[in-house]
Amino acid sequence: METLYCQGCGAEIQSTDPGEPGYTPKASLQNENVLCKRCFRLKHYNEIQDVSVSDDDFLRMVSSIRNAEGLVVHIIDIFDVNGSLLRGLPRIVGNNPIILVGNKIDLLPKSTNERKLIQWLRTSAKEAGIKVEDVFLISSMKGYGLEELATEIEKYRKKKDVYIVGTTNVGKSTFINKLIKQTTGYSNVITTSYFPGTTLGFIEIPLDEQSSLIDTPGIVNKQQIAHYISEKDLKVITPKKEIKPRVYQLNSEQTLYFGGLARLDFIKGEKTSFVCYFSNELPIHRTKLENADELYVNHIGELLSPPSETPVKKSLELKKNSFKLNGEKTDIVFPGLGWVSVEGNEITITAHSPEKVAVSIRKSLL
């Protein structure tokens, strides 16, 4: 069978995986001009849909940004900074200016100090080797902060192209759809000015006669827990509204389970507060350390759920990492799941997570 390419973005047409570039239902293959589902929905329904690519494919695909001139808008998920901040971004985009946009600010507690959070994000980007021109906080879903951001993008881009980059699930597509409506006042601007991308997997939306807003595919970060659980469980762990912190006063040799997806053991230290920031839907279970292993073996997928799907349960063996904390308020971060904030002297904790989901610690976000 001959190889077909999308007339819109140039991706090779395939009918097996809806999440990958070039997907189109088999019934559409007979059309004279074949569009992938993403381009079809863009052209006819005015919707940007995210597709995902591997790191290697993305690097190959976006090397063109390094040789172009434009503004790079890096969208990250405020709820998963560690999992969504692209540490390799400078080598991809070369000397082009970068602005960092923290999405989903509506999920953090209302008491969050936004000025401090912006400073914290600046520091995190710098530590990751990313020099940013500016940092903004938005909620694509609620429309918060978009007007100011649209104005600043216009200022920073200096009539050049704008490249939108980010990992999967950061809300990039919602952001682009809202931004276009915000900047033009029209909700059908894509439909009326549909313009096929010239690079595989890119979507170009004209901003004026000379420049475009360019949507790039979402990068898959295999450290995020979302890639190892079912769609049903993903809905449970993904916050939909403001997170309510849950506080546990723990003595040493006590354990917290976050569903059956992660576990935190308080090994040594004085009685301490553990403040948990996870989706309000995710059950947290406290037990004695001596009972923790047995509880997992006997109750994974039942009392300790998610995971709820049997094939997934077997593949989610937890590995452990130990940390010693001294004084400074610290977050123990489970990428794509949430974090636990702890403050205290001479504390030893052990964090358990699925093998490829690397737990890390950071200076406290809140």
Side-chain angles (χ1 to χ4, degrees):
M1 187 177 155
E2 65 168 318
T3 304
L4 296 173
Y5 294 93
C6 172
Q7 297 293 306
C9 64
E12 186 176 330
I13 292 293
Q14 51 90 13
S15 298
T16 49
D17 190 342
E20 295 290 314
Y23 174 77
T24 193
K26 281 185 179 169
S28 305
L29 297 178
Q30 310 308 318
N31 296 344
E32 189 178 341
N33 293 316
V34 179
L35 291 175
C36 70
K37 186 182 174 190
R38 180 169 168 240
C39 287
F40 182 86
R41 294 203 70 81
L42 176 71
K43 183 174 184 179
H44 297 286
Y45 298 101
N46 204 57
E47 282 177 18
I48 283 274
Q49 290 190 320
D50 206 9
V51 296
S52 59
V53 294
S54 71
D55 284 6
D56 292 345
D57 287 341
F58 185 83
L59 285 170
R60 264 199 309 278
M61 204 181 285
V62 298
S63 56
S64 57
I65 299 178
R66 200 184 306 134
N67 304 319
E69 278 193 46
L71 173 68
V72 175
V73 178
H74 179 17
I75 312 277
I76 61 168
D77 181 346
I78 284 285
F79 189 67
D80 183 19
V81 175
N82 294 53
S84 60
L85 191 65
L86 295 171
R87 282 161 175 73
L89 193 60
R91 76 174 186 274
I92 295 170
V93 303
N95 295 322
N96 286 311
I98 300 167
I99 61 177
L100 188 65
V101 178
N103 190 21
K104 308 186 187 179
I105 183 67
D106 54 307
L107 298 179
L108 294 186
K110 286 192 171 62
S111 57
T112 301
N113 182 319
E114 292 193 6
R115 190 178 54 78
K116 279 188 179 172
L117 178 56
I118 285 172
Q119 193 50 50
W120 186 93
L121 287 172
R122 274 188 185 281
T123 305
S124 298
K126 190 177 179 184
E127 286 169 357
I130 304 171
K131 178 177 177 265
V132 297
E133 303 292 322
D134 216 334
V135 179
F136 299 93
L137 301 175
I138 65 161
S139 165
S140 293
M141 203 55 81
K142 302 277 173 70
Y144 172 85
L146 284 180
E147 204 169 319
E148 181 198 358
L149 177 57
T151 304
E152 293 302 309
I153 285 176
E154 199 51 43
K155 182 179 89 180
Y156 279 113
R157 79 182 185 91
K158 298 176 180 167
K159 302 195 185 314
K160 293 173 184 167
D161 291 334
V162 180
Y163 293 88
I164 312 290
V165 300
T167 61
T168 50
N169 302 319
V170 295
K172 195 159 59 67
S173 305
T174 312
F175 164 72
I176 292 172
N177 290 327
K178 286 269 173 70
L179 184 68
I180 289 166
K181 189 171 183 181
Q182 193 99 38
T183 50
T184 65
Y186 299 108
S187 55
N188 66 341
V189 66
I190 306 175
T191 311
T192 53
S193 62
Y194 175 73
F195 186 73
T198 51
T199 314
L200 181 69
F202 283 14
I203 293 286
E204 299 186 11
I205 300 129
L207 291 168
D208 52 39
E209 296 291 320
Q210 287 84 35
S211 56
S212 297
L213 180 74
I214 299 163
D215 173 38
T216 65
I219 306 165
V220 173
N221 177 2
K222 287 292 187 185
Q223 284 197 355
Q224 292 170 304
I225 208 159
H227 302 296
Y228 305 99
I229 61 175
S230 69
E231 205 166 311
K232 177 183 165 189
D233 290 341
L234 185 58
K235 286 177 181 168
V236 176
I237 71 164
T238 305
K240 297 163 198 68
K241 53 188 178 184
E242 183 191 342
I243 294 159
K244 304 295 181 198
R246 285 174 271 178
V247 184
Y248 293 84
Q249 299 289 337
L250 298 188
N251 293 308
S252 59
E253 302 199 357
Q254 285 191 300
T255 290
L256 293 176
Y257 268 108
F258 309 105
L261 296 172
R263 162 181 159 186
L264 191 64
D265 300 336
F266 182 18
I267 306 293
K268 188 177 140 195
E270 299 290 321
K271 188 174 183 178
T272 305
S273 287
F274 287 72
V275 187
C276 304
Y277 296 90
F278 295 87
S279 161
N280 301 333
E281 315 292 314
L282 182 71
I284 300 178
H285 190 84
R286 171 164 41 186
T287 188
K288 289 181 178 174
L289 179 57
E290 62 186 299
N291 301 332
D293 288 344
E294 188 183 351
L295 187 76
Y296 186 78
V297 170
N298 293 334
H299 295 287
I300 178 71
E302 297 158 11
L303 177 68
L304 303 178
S305 174
S308 58
E309 311 283 322
T310 308
V312 180
K313 286 192 294 201
K314 289 182 179 163
S315 66
L316 273 177
E317 291 294 317
L318 302 184
K319 60 161 192 177
K320 57 186 182 181
N321 276 296
S322 291
F323 302 97
K324 286 188 176 166
L325 311 178
N326 282 303
E328 189 177 47
K329 194 175 176 189
T330 302
D331 292 340
I332 301 114
V333 182
F334 300 88
L337 191 63
W339 69 91
V340 181
S341 213
V342 191
E343 189 172 13
N345 278 312
E346 297 186 3
I347 285 174
T348 305
I349 54 116
T350 299
H352 303 246
S353 65
E355 190 171 354
K356 292 181 180 172
V357 181
V359 177
S360 61
I361 58 171
R362 69 185 182 197
K363 187 178 173 187
S364 187
L365 172 71
L366 300 177

